[in-house]
Amino acid sequence: MRPRSSAAIRAYGACVKTKTKSRTVLISGGSVAGPALAYWLHRHGFTPTIVERAPQLRDGGYAVDFRGEALDVLDRMGLLEEIRALDTEMGDAALVDAEGRQYATLPAAVFAGDLEVLKGDLTRMLYEATRENTEYVFGDSIATLRQDDDGVLVSFEHAEPRRFDLVVGADGLHSKTRSLAFGPEEAFVRHLGIYTAIFNLDNYLGLENTGRLYTAPGKAANIFTARANTEARAAFHFAAEDLEYDRRDPAAHKRIVAERFAGEGWEVPRLLKEMDAAQEFFFDSNAQVEMDTWSAGRIVLLGDAGYCAGPTSGRGTSQALIGAYLLAGELAAHEGDHTAAFAAYEQQMRPYTAEHQVLGREGAERFFLPAPTQEILDMLAANAPENTRTEPVRLPDYAPATAA
């Protein structure tokens, strides 16, 4: 047997030490942040399990974009070229009046980022990259969390209780993990004054790699092409303070939107009919999550659950991917010492997410510009976040314990 070098012996020892700890990690949330974290945890010798409330992979949703270091994370995962193949290749979009007449052009730089794909396509790609090395539990969710010195006892809505060394809440804006470990949602979620509905539909306008946007005071509607122009995604946005409604009742959500947009021009009547028939439908407030700390003992938050910057920031997906890379890497670098790892993860991410929350608030304030001129739109493109950022995040080179 060929003798190993001292460097190889140290690397092997670190790998064995990590595996000996048998770090089991439960991740709540199977959208983007959760599977991305599972990928890196496995690479570093941890054993991830994902529990997802939905009964299967979520295929709906609008397009998401990647900016800056998020592209580097995808490259390190070996997924960048696959993602590029799914790029929406979205071009500029037309702003139209109530009669459908174009009066300005919205540059793609304002909304499409460096690379843009449908969220459902990204979720499926991350699932395929992790399903052989990650246990997925669909159709269930965390009910209670009980920590002690040796781990976390987790009870579920349906499955039998299990113990894990660590628990990660990657379950979005309305995180159940956050509520259980840190307190009620109203203590951390800040509404930005906008509600959004998104749904799938046919590309009945025959658009090609573009979109149409209609605005009225405190309202906006749009439609964009998807999947090589074979489909479309539409959205309604309206300004409102906190609304009281059941988050699990899509029929009520559709009624709220229909009432807000009754009597509007352009394609709005047709889009309301398409929305009513849509099977893939999403409705929620635009909000941010502000917290003094993202960890409590053996429980830590990732992505929107801990530091949502709001859709108007255009950074949610990038934050999820970068946060997953750093969290897993710091757990490996600190050999499973979760207290030190969580502190290092938060120290690296906080300046980055703080800047994006400012962008999110600014974006919300100007979201319903009254018939913006072309000059204003061109100025927004010139001042897109990637052109003005001041707090880039550094991506250390963490040595993986397993091959990709």
Side-chain angles (χ1 to χ4, degrees):
M1 183 177 184
R2 189 176 69 180
R4 293 189 177 98
S5 67
S6 58
I9 291 172
R10 286 195 300 273
Y12 176 78
C15 176
V16 171
K17 187 172 183 180
T18 299
K19 290 183 177 180
T20 301
K21 286 178 177 287
S22 299
R23 288 293 185 185
T24 56
V25 183
L26 174 66
I27 305 167
S28 177
S31 181
V32 175
L37 178 64
Y39 174 90
W40 290 112
L41 286 174
H42 170 70
R43 289 287 304 276
H44 292 302
F46 293 81
T47 303
T49 297
I50 291 179
V51 59
E52 166 56 48
R53 182 172 57 84
Q56 59 193 15
L57 287 180
R58 299 174 188 266
D59 189 51
Y62 223 41
V64 296
D65 53 64
F66 310 93
R67 303 171 189 265
E69 289 83 357
L71 295 170
D72 191 9
V73 172
L74 289 171
D75 192 33
R76 297 183 188 201
M77 296 175 78
L79 298 177
L80 183 56
E81 293 310 310
E82 290 183 65
I83 290 288
R84 288 195 187 281
L86 297 173
D87 188 0
T88 62
E89 298 181 347
M90 191 60 60
D92 298 344
L95 273 70
V96 298
D97 62 18
E99 304 302 322
R101 295 183 295 255
Q102 180 174 350
Y103 63 86
T105 298
L106 181 65
V110 175
F111 59 87
D114 299 320
L115 175 63
E116 182 187 68
V117 301
L118 291 179
K119 186 175 182 180
D121 290 345
L122 174 62
T123 299
R124 182 162 297 280
M125 183 172 294
L126 291 172
Y127 172 74
E128 292 297 331
T130 55
R131 64 187 180 89
E132 293 186 1
N133 302 303
T134 299
E135 177 188 3
Y136 277 83
V137 180
F138 288 101
D140 209 345
S141 61
I142 296 173
T144 64
L145 296 167
R146 279 177 44 196
Q147 296 191 65
D148 55 39
D149 291 341
D150 299 319
V152 186
L153 177 62
V154 183
S155 68
F156 299 91
E157 296 293 341
H158 304 294
E160 292 297 313
R162 293 170 61 178
R163 286 187 66 85
F164 297 88
D165 293 306
L166 303 172
V167 174
V168 180
D171 40 358
L173 176 65
H174 304 291
S175 170
K176 179 70 174 293
T177 310
R178 186 185 61 232
S179 294
L180 291 171
F182 297 87
E185 178 171 306
E186 53 267 26
F188 309 109
V189 175
R190 306 287 180 261
H191 181 50
L192 294 176
I194 303 171
Y195 284 85
T196 294
I198 300 170
F199 53 97
N200 297 11
L201 72 164
D202 292 334
N203 181 16
Y204 74 92
L205 291 177
L207 303 176
E208 295 186 8
N209 300 102
T210 188
R212 298 286 185 272
L213 296 90
Y214 165 78
T215 63
K219 304 175 190 178
N222 58 57
I223 181 171
F224 283 87
T225 57
R227 293 191 173 135
N229 303 313
T230 62
E231 303 175 13
R233 300 290 183 270
F236 289 111
H237 312 273
F238 62 89
E241 296 305 316
D242 285 318
L243 300 177
E244 293 290 336
Y245 62 93
D246 182 350
R247 289 196 297 106
R248 304 290 176 83
D249 187 354
H253 305 164
K254 291 179 180 181
R255 287 194 296 272
I256 292 171
V257 176
E259 290 171 1
R260 294 279 175 163
F261 283 84
E264 292 293 341
W266 181 56
E267 294 288 325
V268 168
R270 170 69 182 267
L271 291 178
L272 288 174
K273 290 181 181 179
E274 296 285 349
M275 178 191 72
D276 191 53
Q279 297 299 309
E280 294 288 346
F281 173 82
F282 166 88
F283 177 79
D284 207 347
S285 65
N286 286 220
Q288 295 185 334
V289 174
E290 299 175 359
M291 305 186 69
D292 294 332
T293 180
W294 302 335
S295 63
R298 292 174 173 269
I299 302 167
V300 66
L301 302 176
L302 172 66
D304 283 355
Y307 38 86
C308 179
T312 48
S313 74
R315 291 288 183 163
T317 305
S318 294
Q319 288 190 160
L321 292 171
I322 294 168
Y325 177 83
L326 292 173
L327 177 54
E330 291 302 325
L331 282 167
H334 289 87
E335 299 181 347
D337 179 348
H338 63 275
T339 302
F342 292 168
Y345 152 69
E346 186 166 340
Q347 182 180 26
Q348 292 183 74
M349 282 293 290
R350 269 220 180 258
Y352 182 69
T353 60
E355 179 170 313
H356 296 164
Q357 292 202 326
V358 172
L359 293 175
R361 290 190 290 272
E362 292 175 347
E365 290 171 358
R366 62 173 180 253
F367 192 82
F368 296 109
L369 287 174
T373 65
Q374 191 61 55
E375 182 180 6
I376 291 176
L377 296 173
D378 291 341
M379 181 183 68
L380 290 176
N383 290 281
E386 58 268 29
N387 297 330
T388 60
R389 56 192 300 217
T390 60
E391 293 290 349
V393 66
R394 309 298 179 190
L395 298 181
D397 291 321
Y398 301 110
T402 65

